[in-house]
Amino acid sequence: MIHVLQVLPTLHVCGGVENYLMNYYRHIDTSAVKFTFAVHAPADPVFATLIAERGDEVVVLPPFTIRNFPRIKREIDALFENRTFDIVHCHQANAAWFYFKSAKKHGITHRILHSHQAAAADKWTHKLRNYPLLAMGKRYTTDPAACSRLAGDWLWGKRAYQVVNNAVDPDAFVFDTQARDSVRREFEIPADAFVVGHMGRFCPQKNQEYLLRIFGELLKLEPKAHLLLVGGGEDLESCKKTAAEMGIAHHVSFPGVRTDTARMYAAMDVFVMPSLYEGLPVVGVEAQAAGLPLVLADTITEETRILDTTAFLPLSAGPAAWAERILTYRDHVRTDTRAEIAAAHFDIREESAALVSFYRHLLESTPAGKENTPAEKDSTSEKQVPASEEKVPASEEQVPASEEKVPVSEKQAPASEEKTSAPADTEQA
């Protein structure tokens, strides 16, 4: 049994990183891998209950603030002194140094730092805090990883890294007309409305204020349009105020944080995401699994595109151009996209098996007590294969950055230095 400590800021149902990890947790082979979770805020009851029912543990450490750094360090040291782990898999890049330095001291030779973003933070003050923490965390990383090449190249530069796809359960998002009608009735959305949907943490990164401006332009073209903004966060109230000031509040619904995300997608006709930056948004994969067309900012990696109905626009094109592009999907007919999701290697059933193989390969390829030394990108380098010579899942092979994008379960991409709901002080790089 491989015991992995999973490190992340929070376990909140609205968080992209959290949902990525819990998707794997629900489908991982529990006879092969055991997870313990280390977080810096109490876990959401939905996730906490699931983890407790499976006999696993959530370790809650102090909030990740500069004031708490000495206490955090002491409690992390105690964590490693009192428990045994084979691997530390960190999804909070600015906290990696605290965990990895202590893990190394306690003989844990595999320390995975997993990049989920392509920027250091929303606010310049958090960037100033995060950059030195990132540099120190990278020093103690033995096995770099990322959710996409964009996120990987940003964090790892010339170091090779493992891509682990933000996979989902395609069966959970199959379009359901009854759910569509039910949600529309719940929020008093007309049956014939053209519903523009969005899901994520309300924060500067997700750019919901700009989305409201786009929707204002869309209403000029399609008076039957309705905006469904799902999620919570620090900018929620300001977005409600903006909608009221624009005079469009009666065309906008704010359902808040929801656990019935498949029903929310069913109520939508198109999914829009004008983020300032992303690694690879889990909601983008989920929306395509639900058969929705997408209009995304070109700041989001092209690796998100699974269906031909996913389009990218620059934010500089302006709200009117975005509205026109969104309206082209007015008469889109939803189809079952499970085959496309699986073919693109975003099916969690396959990718969870690939993650187990990745963990197993790390432990088999590096002798006990000897640390792995990550390679640099090199177009002449050979692909890494497990010591057992078994076929490697896409997420285990290593390829140079110059090669074409490949699914996670087929190749490992080279490396470089949300829907998240983490508080500002827990933003990852």
Side-chain angles (χ1 to χ4, degrees), residues 26-353:
R26 291 186 185 97
H27 293 85
I28 205 87
D29 180 356
T30 55
S31 69
V33 176
K34 176 181 177 64
F35 285 178
T36 293
F37 301 86
V39 296
H40 292 269
D44 186 279
V46 173
F47 290 155
T49 299
L50 172 63
I51 293 167
E53 288 175 347
R54 297 180 64 164
D56 295 320
E57 183 182 13
V58 178
V59 179
V60 181
L61 290 100
F64 194 77
T65 62
I66 293 176
R67 178 182 300 178
N68 285 335
F69 281 0
R71 183 181 166 198
I72 290 170
K73 184 179 182 301
R74 290 194 300 271
E75 294 196 18
I76 289 174
D77 283 340
L79 174 65
F80 290 121
E81 286 170 3
N82 296 322
R83 295 168 179 80
T84 301
F85 301 103
D86 300 297
I87 295 170
V88 179
H89 192 159
C90 182
H91 307 274
Q92 185 181 354
N94 60 5
W97 175 74
F98 293 90
Y99 288 91
F100 288 177
K101 184 177 182 181
S102 183
K104 180 176 181 178
K105 181 174 68 175
H106 289 86
I108 301 172
T109 57
H110 285 287
R111 303 179 294 276
I112 303 168
L113 178 51
H114 194 136
S115 177
H116 288 276
Q117 296 287 12
D122 287 342
K123 302 175 182 178
W124 69 268
T125 52
H126 296 149
K127 290 181 180 180
L128 288 177
R129 175 200 64 188
N130 286 347
Y131 278 123
L133 293 174
L134 297 180
M136 292 188 290
K138 288 164 63 178
R139 278 186 59 194
Y140 285 90
T141 299
T142 59
D143 303 284
C147 66
S148 68
R149 291 199 169 191
L150 179 66
D153 287 347
W154 178 80
L155 186 60
W156 297 115
K158 293 183 178 181
R159 288 176 71 175
Y161 57 87
Q162 175 69 45
V163 173
V164 182
N165 275 342
N166 286 348
V168 303
D169 179 0
D171 292 342
F173 297 97
V174 174
F175 178 56
D176 181 345
T177 55
Q178 290 184 341
R180 175 188 182 86
D181 295 341
S182 173
V183 172
R184 291 191 173 207
R185 285 194 301 270
E186 179 182 350
F187 295 102
E188 299 181 346
I189 301 171
D192 63 346
F194 176 50
V195 178
V196 176
H198 173 87
M199 191 177 300
R201 177 168 61 100
F202 280 76
C203 64
Q205 174 198 349
K206 304 298 181 181
N207 210 12
Q208 286 97 349
E209 292 278 355
Y210 188 74
L211 178 52
L212 287 167
R213 291 171 54 198
I214 293 170
F215 183 70
E217 294 295 325
L218 179 63
L219 276 174
K220 298 175 184 178
L221 304 174
E222 173 50 89
K224 291 185 178 181
H226 194 93
L227 182 60
L228 187 63
L229 293 174
V230 184
E234 60 266 34
D235 286 353
L236 175 57
E237 293 306 316
S238 67
C239 284
K240 290 181 178 180
K241 182 179 179 181
T242 297
E245 291 173 346
M246 292 177 64
I248 62 173
H250 59 295
H251 287 281
V252 184
S253 296
F254 294 91
V257 176
R258 304 285 294 221
T259 57
D260 56 345
T261 53
R263 292 180 68 247
M264 297 295 107
Y265 291 123
M268 303 173 187
D269 293 305
V270 59
F271 188 87
V272 180
M273 201 170 191
S275 299
L276 300 180
Y277 62 90
E278 294 281 352
L280 190 152
V282 175
V283 292
V285 180
E286 292 176 346
Q288 290 174 93
L292 285 168
L294 274 61
V295 180
L296 308 176
D298 66 359
T299 53
I300 299 173
T301 176
E302 287 270 353
E303 297 161 271
T304 310
R305 190 201 306 271
I306 300 171
L307 307 179
D308 292 338
T309 49
T310 294
F312 295 83
L313 279 180
L315 295 171
S316 60
W322 275 71
E324 291 175 2
R325 187 68 180 88
I326 291 167
L327 192 59
T328 64
Y329 292 119
R330 180 65 172 94
D331 300 315
H332 176 75
V333 178
R334 305 270 276 267
T335 60
D336 188 328
T337 62
R338 284 177 287 186
E340 289 92 335
I341 299 298
H345 300 276
F346 284 96
D347 187 323
I348 191 61
R349 290 162 293 201
E350 295 181 2
E351 298 309 298
S352 60

